[in-house]
Amino acid sequence: MTKKIAVLPGDGIGPEIVAEAVKVIECLRREYELDVEMEEGLVGGAAIDATGGPLPQETLALAKASDAILLGAVGGYKWESLDISIRPEKGLLGLRSELALFSNLRPAILYPQLASASSLKAEIVSGLDIMIVRELTGGIYFGQPRGIRTLENGERQGYNTLIYKESEIERIGRSAFEIAQKRGKRLCSIDKANVLECTELWREVMINISKDYPDVELSHMYVDNAAMQLVRAPKQFDVMVTTNMFGDILSDCAAMLTGSIGMLPSASLDANGKGMYEPIHGSAPDIAGKDIANPIATILSVAMMLRYTFDEFEMADSIEQGVNSVLDANYRTADIYTDGMRKVGTAEMGDAIVSAIIRNMWNKAGGESSGSDRNCVRGGNFSNDQD
Ligand code: IPM
Ligand code: MG
């Protein structure tokens, strides 16, 4: 049966990078007969401008009726003065909580071609392959009570609540253990159990459920130490599991190890494998509309969609190989550019990846043409041995 993808470009660079990911999906439809249909919806600032709110009912209904969601990014200067309860970010948070997308997978993988683009020494990051599993629908992001109140003396006080039920910790813990089982079998749980009772409970639950995963080695680390270890010796980590806010912070940090936050995809999954897929970077309003944003994180998010929601492993591999090929051919957007490389814009990078996917497919098929329509590539002149 035809699967449905809700496409939510959002704000800033969102529409540009999503357009490149859509090119890749169109190409897979044509070349691999991927049986999907796409429907666009409004979210974030774009939705505020059009409808007055960041998550219109129509968009929520579309997301609920779809098998997967591809999201660009939300937010921008234009909406920063709005009340926090109706800001673009609320659209994203609303989708996460309404769809119960509690398990957020944020891989940080260093492409060998980009070792010199990392701010850390190549020997510290080469071969890096970390998976951060971030709890996404609870913790301080959603805890009640929250707000800003005025005290009796007239002074204002801001407050939020860090809160987790055992069941919430257990389900994200089990997700992380299962992922660790399929990888290096090491799971590091990140908390602040020396100060925060909520994460003392977090640690206790992780230890309790670890008995069901005897093949996975569980360790614990305080979040401040984890931030330090990520920049000191990041390769010690295989899978990390942590709370919503710690995961937000640590995943940005881990992303930068790979050379650019513009490279990293993410998946946010519910209990049944339905997912929302998005780059982990934001809307970057300062570079929006200039055709310089890196579309790779969004394109790799499509690979995660194929792997986690559609069980299309070969197609997922083909996207990742396509990205590898263009990096081998020295194509670089501005964020990953180093001397001697070939600087390309957003659309040119997307076209090059589409061409590489098709080229790799031909090569696999022994140079045989599949005979399908190749017009999905604008200016499709990519070649592996181009400079
Ligand atoms: C992220 C972002 C979001 C978050 C914002 C945009 C609400 O930083 O996905 O990491 O804090 O979760
Ligand atoms: Mg973040």
Side-chain angles (χ1 to χ4, degrees):
M1 211 178 82
T2 305
K3 296 271 178 17
K4 185 161 189 165
I5 304 174
V7 178
L8 312 179
D11 310 319
I13 59 171
E16 296 163 67
I17 53 176
V18 165
E20 301 313 306
V22 165
K23 272 185 204 167
V24 170
I25 296 171
E26 292 289 4
C27 171
L28 295 176
R29 283 174 66 178
R30 246 173 286 223
E31 301 289 332
Y32 279 88
E33 289 164 16
L34 173 65
D35 191 11
V36 294
E37 58 180 22
M38 291 179 269
E39 189 178 332
E40 266 204 31
L42 290 167
V43 71
I48 295 174
D49 289 350
T51 70
L55 181 56
Q57 276 311 317
E58 239 175 54
T59 302
L60 186 57
L62 169 66
K64 284 187 171 163
S66 300
D67 300 285
I69 299 138
L70 177 66
L71 187 131
V74 296
Y77 311 128
K78 188 176 170 190
W79 306 281
E80 267 168 16
S81 57
L82 291 176
D83 188 88
I84 206 166
S85 61
I86 52 159
R87 290 255 286 263
E89 289 79 359
K90 276 284 171 202
L92 179 58
L93 296 172
L95 280 169
R96 289 173 181 173
S97 82
E98 288 285 335
L99 300 174
L101 305 171
F102 68 92
S103 178
N104 182 211
L105 314 186
R106 298 192 160 190
I109 295 169
L110 183 87
Y111 281 82
Q113 303 93 326
L114 298 185
S116 62
S118 173
S119 48
L120 296 192
K121 293 193 199 88
E123 69 260 28
I124 294 191
V125 289
S126 69
L128 184 84
D129 181 359
I130 300 175
M131 177 68 90
I132 296 184
V133 181
R134 168 188 177 193
E135 199 292 324
L136 203 60
T137 51
I140 198 165
Y141 268 53
F142 293 95
Q144 295 289 346
R146 63 190 296 152
I148 299 174
R149 61 192 161 208
T150 305
L151 302 173
E152 272 169 24
N153 67 0
E155 191 186 1
R156 290 189 308 150
Q157 184 182 50
Y159 56 101
N160 288 90
T161 306
L162 172 60
I163 188 161
Y164 273 115
K165 288 188 287 198
E166 284 178 300
S167 55
E168 288 174 292
I169 304 171
E170 180 170 340
R171 69 177 180 177
I172 191 67
R174 290 196 182 279
S175 270
F177 272 106
E178 279 162 27
I179 288 164
Q181 277 182 322
K182 294 188 198 127
R183 294 177 36 112
K185 300 190 167 44
R186 286 181 299 115
L187 176 63
C188 185
S189 169
I190 311 298
D191 59 39
K192 190 72 186 173
N194 52 343
V195 178
L196 304 172
E197 290 83 352
C198 180
T199 66
E200 195 185 354
L201 179 67
W202 176 281
R203 187 177 284 214
E204 210 183 292
V205 172
M206 290 294 161
I207 292 171
N208 284 343
I209 61 174
S210 70
K211 299 180 184 92
D212 295 338
Y213 308 90
D215 52 333
V216 176
E217 180 197 315
L218 174 68
S219 60
H220 307 273
M221 201 179 272
Y222 297 141
V223 63
D224 47 350
N225 186 22
M228 182 178 74
Q229 295 300 333
L230 269 177
V231 289
R232 194 188 73 87
K235 283 188 272 181
Q236 70 186 283
F237 297 110
D238 174 24
V239 181
M240 303 169 91
V241 61
T242 192
T243 63
N244 204 342
M245 188 162 76
F246 294 166
D248 179 44
I249 298 166
L250 294 178
S251 61
D252 267 28
C253 180
M256 209 52 220
L257 304 175
T258 69
S260 169
I261 198 167
M263 294 295 297
L264 296 190
S266 77
S268 306
L269 304 172
D270 74 3
N272 306 311
K274 173 169 173 162
M276 179 158 79
Y277 298 84
E278 53 178 313
I280 85 154
H281 60 70
S283 58
D286 51 325
I287 60 164
K290 297 185 178 161
D291 190 41
I292 55 175
N294 186 348
I296 292 182
T298 318
I299 290 171
L300 290 173
S301 297
V302 175
M304 288 190 91
M305 177 189 293
L306 291 165
R307 185 164 284 130
Y308 288 98
T309 295
F310 297 147
D311 289 333
E312 294 285 2
F313 302 101
E314 195 190 331
M315 287 189 227
D317 287 347
S318 80
I319 294 179
E320 287 159 0
Q321 280 159 15
V323 169
N324 240 313
S325 302
V326 297
L327 294 176
D328 278 343
N330 296 340
Y331 280 62
R332 300 286 188 274
T333 41
D335 55 313
I336 49 174
Y337 177 78
T338 46
D339 276 351
M341 299 291 115
R342 172 178 175 155
K343 198 183 257 185
V344 295
T346 311
E348 198 178 347
M349 181 60 102
D351 289 342
I353 293 169
V354 167
S355 297
I357 291 170
I358 296 171
R359 180 171 296 270
N360 290 343
M361 201 173 87
W362 288 346
N363 288 346
K364 241 194 235 158
E368 291 278 310
S369 160
S370 69
S372 57
D373 172 15
R374 316 218 167 282
N375 293 333
C376 56
V377 191
R378 189 162 12 111
N381 57 354
F382 172 78
S383 146
N384 261 346
D385 36 45
Q386 221 167 323
D387 66 356

